[in-house]
Amino acid sequence: SQSLRFLPSHEGVPATGCFEEMREMREQPIDPQAEQEIINSIQEVYYSNDSFDMVQHELEKLPPELNLQELEEYRDKLKRQQAAVSKKVADLILEKQPSYVKELERVTSLQTNLQLAAVICTNARRQLSISKEDFTEASLGLLANQRRRHLLTGLLKSLRTIKTLVTVQVTLFLFLVCVSVLTFKHYSCISELNSKLQDTLEQIEEQLDVALSKTCKHFDVSHYTRVQLAYTLLEKTQTAMDQLHMHFTQAIHNTVFQVVLGYVELCAGNADTKFQKMQYKDLCTHITQDSYVPCLSDLCKALWEVMLSYHRTMQWHEEQDKEETGSNIMTEEAAVDHSYVKKKLEHGLTRIWQEVQLKVKAYLLGTDMSNFKYDDFIVVLDVISRLMQVGEEFCGSKSELLQESIKRQSVNYFKNYHRTRLEELRMFLENETWELCPVKSNFNIAQLHEFKFMGQSRSPSVSPSRQVLSSQDQVLSSQDQEVLSLFQHFSQEGNPFERHIDNKDEETEDVLASNGYESDELEKCVYQDYDSDSDVPDELKQDYVDEQTGDVPLKSASRETLRSRKKSDYSLNKGSNAPILTNTTLNVIRLVGKYIQMMNILKPIAFDVIHCVSQLFDYYLYAVYTFFGRNDMYESSGPGLISSRLRTTLNRIQESLIQMSLGEGSASVHGGPGEDRKEKVPSPHLSQLVVLTASETLYGLAQRVVATESLVFLAEQFEFLQSHLDTMMPAAKKPFLQQFYSQTVSTASELRKPIYWVVAAKALDYEQMLLLMAGVKWDIREIMSQHNVYVDVLLKEFEEFNKRLGDVSRHVRVPLPVSNVLWEHCIRLANRTLVEGYGNVKKCSNEGRALMQLDFQQFLMKLEKLTDMRPIPDKDFVETYIKAYYLTENDMEQFIKNHREYSMKQLANLVNVCLGSHINKKARQKLLAAIDDIDRPKR
């Protein structure tokens, strides 16, 4: 409101009129409670912010139809609110007026003081500027010149030292001349000179000793030549050699201590000096797992520099011997020195290497490596293997200390590693759904990262470092590289212990494939029937596209060609014979590759590794048999399903590797928690996701095929690796490897019989056949031209089996050996069912036997159209039984003795049916007694 707007006068006091107006407001009589109620009635929105437009607000509140009386009343209300607020504000301002006047006076006084302070600061800065120019810059200039002079003085001193070193020959010569003058000791001046020269001699020897010690880490020919010349002039060549060996020993100790100390302090992460006071052996125990490999690598690099310096020292002396021997100017005294130096250096080789071994051994045994990552441990083995190669070239040593140390760590590591891998394998097998793992048709294990070493065409007995050289080092032919030793190859630059970092195997190609197809759309069609691919473009119906070149094969198998193939060759990809394997198979193969890598690098534990490799295969074989082949009901009825060799193998695996739970075997009674029990693994259990009871899927035939054929594929890979493993195996242990291959690996394909027998035994309804055959009348009196209905029913069962087998083949390629085994089992069971049915006949005539032959011939004729198997299995088994009806008494007796493949019941039935036609009761008793004699040994 206008009543609140007042302006300050020039004197800083509010205008008189404003205050008078305020007083008038205050003097107006009003009830304080009423005034507060008026203020409280003001809307909250008026207090919101300074930008609030109260006029706009009030206008927006106006109703659509205006009423003058209401507007005037509302205006009076607003005026009363304004007057109340104005009065309230005026009261507050007048109450604070004395404070306002007082504060204004303080502000005026402060302003005056600030102006005075500004003048004082300006004067002070001007005085400081003058002081800086007159004193500071001049003084700093003097200090800078003094510092430069000090540095130049130090440089001059260094230059004089270098000059002294260059002229050491002249200095020493003059010194020796002076020594020769010392014979005149009766002169007092000469006596004093003698004392000073002796002090100088000691200083010279100390400086030479320091210079000699520098050659232990970085050998420099010119430096070492001058030092040796100085010792020769002093006639202390032998002393120099003694000192040199002491320096090398000290250099080894200092080097390894500093390397390990650096890593320990780095990992400790604090400035604690307790590590510097530790013994080297104790210090090694503080290395962490993450820093172990880098520290070992740096340790070996540093030791290599020391050994290389020693090697080059020996080379220098050998060259000197050749030069002096060739010039024929060597004195007898010089010859003695050279002989001493030569023997000392040769003896020092073994001492130096022994010292190196002790230091590395302490480092190796200072850490428990049993929980290291596989790749880290392989690097450790490779580095130590390379170090042992260095030792062999350095002094012909077999590095017994290193071998014993790394063997201890390796056995400890490998037992722990293998135990974990076996447990992982059990987990894989128990979660395996036995689905096909698609790989390229040309897949082989050499494509896997773990088997890259196989393709380097080298003898397994040679250390990896001999062949592996970086591209920057390949300036010589491969033939020359094999001849060059490490000391020759890295004499000037490089370090052989950098190879394990640089030599990373290049990325392996992707062995997984979408069954050879590039198109996602076609990938979906791979598993479809060849007759139901009308919606697939023609170009996608070709066999496959080459993954490497992208080219399509020149000839693509047409649909007719596919159909015309052997019906028994059930395959998923008619143009591809990709291996059948699972993810678990691939994991086992990779694991075998890792094991062989470890064995390649470390020969002493070769047998332990191969033994563990065999356990991987044993466990996989046992799991496949347990999951799919162990069925007592059918196993007992299948003659010869499991060979004695396979049964022996399975029993051996169960006894040596499988940890039986209580009640599963007698092993648990004697087992206990001993070491033997620790090496055993619980028997695996088939995943609940695998259903083997559905007739639509032929009782899990697809899973059975994948499991069994993946085992066969695994056995083939083991066969491929046999020659390599044989070269690694110690001679005394070779029989173990041979037995493993002959008794275990070669039995893998034999599991097909028991596994597929379970399918064959359920695939056809053999019980229905017996019921149908029981209803046939066989004692007929006329020759029949029409076969019986049970033959058609049986053939229909075979046709249904053939169809289901084809359905399975759309999901998993069914190899020819598998389909052959399945057909053989089904046919054998069918033929045995026929013999069982014929053996149940109570009465039969000659015409009835002829009808049996007619039925069987009809069965054979139609069956041969369904399968390519020739000859039909157990064909003679049925025909021989039918024809035995016509045998005479004597021939029948001989038949009973010779044909023990028939059951006692079948033979007895044969005799009983013949009774009355051409065998009498007496003969019957005799023949039944013969049958009883045959059966007695079985009871």
Side-chain angles (χ1 to χ4, degrees), residues 302-569:
L303 289 171
W304 162 261
E305 295 293 341
V306 176
M307 287 186 285
L308 180 62
S309 294
Y310 195 89
H311 179 78
R312 295 185 66 189
T313 301
M314 288 191 69
Q315 280 186 324
W316 185 90
H317 283 281
E318 288 172 3
E319 290 171 3
Q320 288 295 112
D321 285 351
K322 289 178 183 177
E323 289 178 7
E324 295 185 13
T325 304
S327 61
N328 295 322
I329 57 172
M330 189 183 296
T331 63
E332 183 178 345
E333 186 177 349
V336 172
D337 284 345
H338 279 281
S339 176
Y340 179 85
V341 168
K342 184 178 180 181
K343 289 180 181 178
K344 191 75 175 177
L345 285 170
E346 289 174 353
H347 179 67
L349 279 171
T350 307
R351 286 179 54 194
I352 296 294
W353 178 242
Q354 194 72 2
E355 193 68 26
V356 169
Q357 282 193 90
L358 287 170
K359 298 300 182 187
V360 178
K361 176 185 177 181
Y363 182 83
L364 286 175
L365 300 181
T367 302
D368 180 12
M369 299 189 212
S370 59
N371 294 314
F372 270 36
K373 293 178 182 176
Y374 171 81
D375 291 339
D376 288 343
F377 191 72
I378 283 293
V379 171
V380 172
L381 293 185
D382 192 43
V383 170
I384 298 303
S385 174
R386 194 165 294 131
L387 185 62
M388 288 193 284
Q389 182 190 341
V390 169
E392 188 174 349
E393 293 180 4
F394 188 68
C395 61
S397 170
K398 297 301 179 185
S399 308
E400 289 82 2
L401 288 176
L402 286 179
Q403 286 195 30
E404 184 263 337
S405 304
I406 201 65
K407 183 177 181 180
R408 277 172 57 186
Q409 285 284 30
S410 298
V411 170
N412 183 34
Y413 174 83
F414 195 73
K415 282 185 177 179
N416 187 64
Y417 181 79
H418 177 61
R419 175 71 194 176
T420 308
R421 300 292 82 75
L422 273 180
E423 288 291 346
E424 284 180 1
L425 178 56
R426 179 170 75 94
M427 181 189 69
F428 272 115
L429 289 168
E430 291 186 344
N431 289 280
E432 179 63 70
T433 55
W434 303 102
E435 296 292 336
L436 192 66
C437 176
V439 294
K440 296 180 181 178
S441 58
N442 63 346
F443 168 73
N444 63 77
I445 60 174
Q447 295 168 0
L448 298 175
H449 170 82
E450 288 79 5
F451 289 91
K452 277 296 179 183
F453 67 91
M454 300 277 294
Q456 294 179 359
S457 64
R458 65 176 187 231
S459 168
S461 60
V462 181
S463 171
S465 56
R466 284 187 180 272
Q467 292 75 22
V468 183
L469 297 171
S470 65
S471 57
Q472 66 190 23
D473 299 325
Q474 292 176 349
V475 292
L476 302 169
S477 68
S478 59
Q479 185 177 357
D480 293 334
Q481 285 181 358
E482 292 176 6
V483 176
L484 286 179
S485 71
L486 292 173
F487 285 98
Q488 291 170 324
H489 196 84
F490 299 102
S491 60
Q492 298 300 325
E493 61 179 354
N495 193 305
F497 294 98
E498 293 172 352
R499 293 301 168 268
H500 79 276
I501 297 173
D502 301 333
N503 182 40
K504 295 285 185 186
D505 284 331
E506 57 277 0
E507 290 294 326
T508 56
E509 65 171 301
D510 182 17
V511 299
L512 300 178
S514 56
N515 292 289
Y517 292 91
E518 293 181 344
S519 167
D520 291 341
E521 187 62 35
L522 183 59
E523 203 171 324
K524 300 172 186 173
C525 302
V526 169
Y527 298 97
Q528 294 177 359
D529 190 350
Y530 285 95
D531 295 329
S532 61
D533 59 355
S534 57
D535 58 337
V536 182
D538 290 338
E539 61 268 26
L540 296 184
K541 293 177 184 173
Q542 297 165 336
D543 286 347
Y544 62 95
V545 177
D546 191 291
E547 298 264 336
Q548 300 296 325
T549 64
D551 296 333
V552 178
L554 295 177
K555 287 188 177 181
S556 177
S558 66
R559 194 177 301 180
E560 289 72 19
T561 307
L562 295 174
R563 287 173 179 161
S564 65
R565 296 194 178 187
K566 288 186 176 182
K567 294 181 180 179
S568 55
D569 181 13

Side-chain angles (χ1 to χ4, degrees), residues 570 691-705 755-756 758-764 797-798 800-809 814 822-823 826:
Y570 297 88
V691 180
L692 303 178
T693 55
S695 59
E696 299 81 16
T697 62
L698 271 180
Y699 306 95
L701 178 60
Q703 287 84 1
R704 294 176 191 273
V705 168
I755 288 175
Y756 298 133
V758 179
V759 175
K762 296 179 179 180
L764 278 70
E797 289 277 317
F798 271 103
E800 182 64 22
F801 167 73
N802 190 32
K803 180 179 178 299
R804 288 183 182 177
L805 194 54
D807 292 340
V808 171
S809 71
V814 180
L822 281 166
W823 275 99
C826 288

Side-chain angles (χ1 to χ4, degrees), residues 45 243 264 306 321 360 386 421 425 710 714 737 819 822 838 870 872 882:
V45 70
Q243 288 294 106
V264 170
V306 176
D321 285 351
V360 178
R386 194 165 294 131
R421 300 292 82 75
L425 178 56
S710 68
L714 187 61
L737 187 65
S819 61
L822 281 166
Y838 296 148
R870 301 293 185 274
I872 297 296
I882 296 173

Side-chain angles (χ1 to χ4, degrees), residues 2 86 136 145 192 450 502 540 692 721 723 757 795 827 830 872:
Q2 292 296 329
S86 299
T136 308
N145 289 334
E192 292 176 5
E450 288 79 5
D502 301 333
L540 296 184
L692 303 178
L721 294 169
S723 59
W757 175 270
L795 288 168
I827 294 170
I872 297 296

Side-chain angles (χ1 to χ4, degrees), residues 832 835-837 839-840 877 881 895-896 899-911 928 931-932 934-935 938:
R832 289 175 185 276
V835 171
E836 185 70 17
N840 290 333
F877 182 75
Y881 187 78
F895 177 87
I896 289 169
H899 292 273
R900 300 190 178 188
E901 66 269 22
Y902 300 107
S903 68
M904 183 180 176
K905 175 190 169 186
Q906 290 166 350
L907 293 172
N909 179 269
L910 194 62
V911 173
L928 290 177
I931 294 172
D932 194 55
I934 293 171
D935 188 59
K938 299 179 184 178

Side-chain angles (χ1 to χ4, degrees), residues 149-168 171 226:
R149 176 186 174 188
H150 180 72
L151 291 173
L152 289 173
T153 304
L155 177 62
L156 182 62
K157 183 178 179 182
S158 300
L159 290 172
R160 283 173 178 167
T161 303
I162 294 170
K163 181 180 178 183
T164 304
L165 189 61
V166 172
T167 58
V168 66
T171 306
R226 290 196 296 271

